[in-house]
Amino acid sequence: MSCVLGIETTCDETACAVVEDGRWVRSNVVRTQIDLHEKYGGVVPEIAARAHIEWLNDIISEAMARAGVSASDLTGIGVAHCPGLVGCLLIGVSAAKALAYAWDKPLVGVNHVHAHLYAGALVPAEKAADIMARSLEQPPLPALGLVISGGHTTLFEVENFNALHRLGATIDDAVGEAFDKVAAILQLGYPGGPLVEKLSRHGHANAVKFPLSLLGKESLDFSFSGLKTAVLYHVNGRRGTQRTSADLSEQQRADTAAAFERTVVEILEIKVRRAMAMRRYGSLIVGGGVSANQAVRSMLQRVAQEAGMALILPAMEYCTDNAAMIAGLAAELFKQGQTADLDLSVIATA
Ligand code: KG4
Ligand code: ZN
């Protein structure tokens, strides 16, 4: 049996988790810094890094206590070392190195974006008894991977979890970032994704037509900044007008949210279908905060079913940033013989 401690400090969540055999989540502690950054309208790297320093020791202790494990039970430590805010990454990586050294445990660096794709394998340990097979069934490979988060929108060819090749990515805003910006335009609050989703349930997606930005005919890259600007002009009017979302009726606001969400779903569907037409994949693996969106999930289910492919989606609690996905992928990397030395470095972009 393996028992891996995962540490996640790439951005504005301080998180630690313990995962057994790469699958069973014994504990998953996530402390968000939303309150600290709200008044600045975005994450302030310096404030985020300081909060990680202050909180991380407690979060690690809490994750170990909730999992009921001590250092001697751990088989290794995994830490998100890329991509992210450098000052934030350094806190998690320094803590992981110190623990690996003090406890004499193997260490491995995990790519946060790749870990989002591993999230679909995770199951809370208390549900393990309900699931007959306690071994981790690998999704049929190669898989098509799609990460849709606040920082990334990327399509991958997944040969295995140690070999992911990027097929395309956003050239401007990430899809979650577009949800957050549209939420700001509609004055809904932060993080915007769940709030836009909630509002769009009362709206008519056909009431407004926003442009579909698809880039080249074959392109697997994404662009969401034009869509965000189209929503801005629709709500606030062109430059020079004084309108805000407060001048729209409740129905008009809901229609705007629904039309935006529908446009995002259409763009994602077209790109996934394009990638599927280029190579035969055994499964479709999706992760990241936006994979919590029901309209996105339904579209993916339909597309995968039509193609006869398995669809691997994370349980809701593992869609947004967490350390269980870091521990899970770390367990997989350990299994493949990967470890890092104590000079493991952080990488801002990867
Ligand atoms: O994966 P994540 O926690 O962080 C990054 O790695 O970036 O994703 C956070 C993003 C935010 O932009 C948030 O608005 C979006 O995921 N999100 C959603 C939903 N839940 C979270 N977007 C659309 N619908 C949702 N239900
Ligand atoms: Zn993330």
Side-chain angles (χ1 to χ4, degrees), residues 8 10-13 112-113 116 147-152 174-180 190-198 261 287-294 296 316 319-322 325:
E8 155 66 38
T10 56
C11 187
D12 61 342
E13 261 99 26
H112 172 99
V113 180
H116 270 301
V147 176
I148 37 179
S149 73
H152 297 88
V175 60
E177 195 180 348
F179 267 98
D180 295 333
Y190 182 86
L195 301 167
V196 170
E197 176 171 26
K198 197 164 158 227
E261 187 184 76
V290 181
S291 63
N293 182 284
Q294 283 308 327
V296 171
M316 294 300 270
C319 290
T320 47
D321 284 349
N322 65 84
M325 66 186 195

Side-chain angles (χ1 to χ4, degrees), residues 208-212 227 230-232 234 255-257 259-261 263:
V208 193
K209 183 90 192 116
F210 291 126
L212 278 183
L227 173 58
V231 174
L232 181 74
H234 174 72
D255 290 348
T256 306
F260 162 76
E261 187 184 76
T263 309

Side-chain angles (χ1 to χ4, degrees), residues 5-82:
L5 181 81
I7 295 176
E8 155 66 38
T9 61
T10 56
C11 187
D12 61 342
E13 261 99 26
T14 314
C16 185
V18 175
V19 172
E20 192 186 309
D21 288 340
R23 177 159 209 197
W24 314 105
V25 182
R26 301 262 301 251
S27 66
N28 182 33
V29 182
V30 183
R31 185 157 170 196
T32 178
Q33 302 180 2
I34 287 174
D35 294 354
L36 300 182
H37 303 287
E38 212 169 13
K39 60 172 176 273
Y40 302 102
V43 176
V44 184
E46 179 71 11
I47 293 175
R50 280 169 191 268
H52 288 310
I53 293 178
E54 281 173 28
W55 298 351
L56 188 55
N57 280 347
D58 287 348
I59 300 285
I60 293 170
S61 303
E62 190 180 337
M64 304 254 307
R66 283 204 207 168
V69 297
S70 57
S72 60
D73 301 312
L74 295 177
T75 47
I77 297 171
V79 61
H81 76 124
C82 69

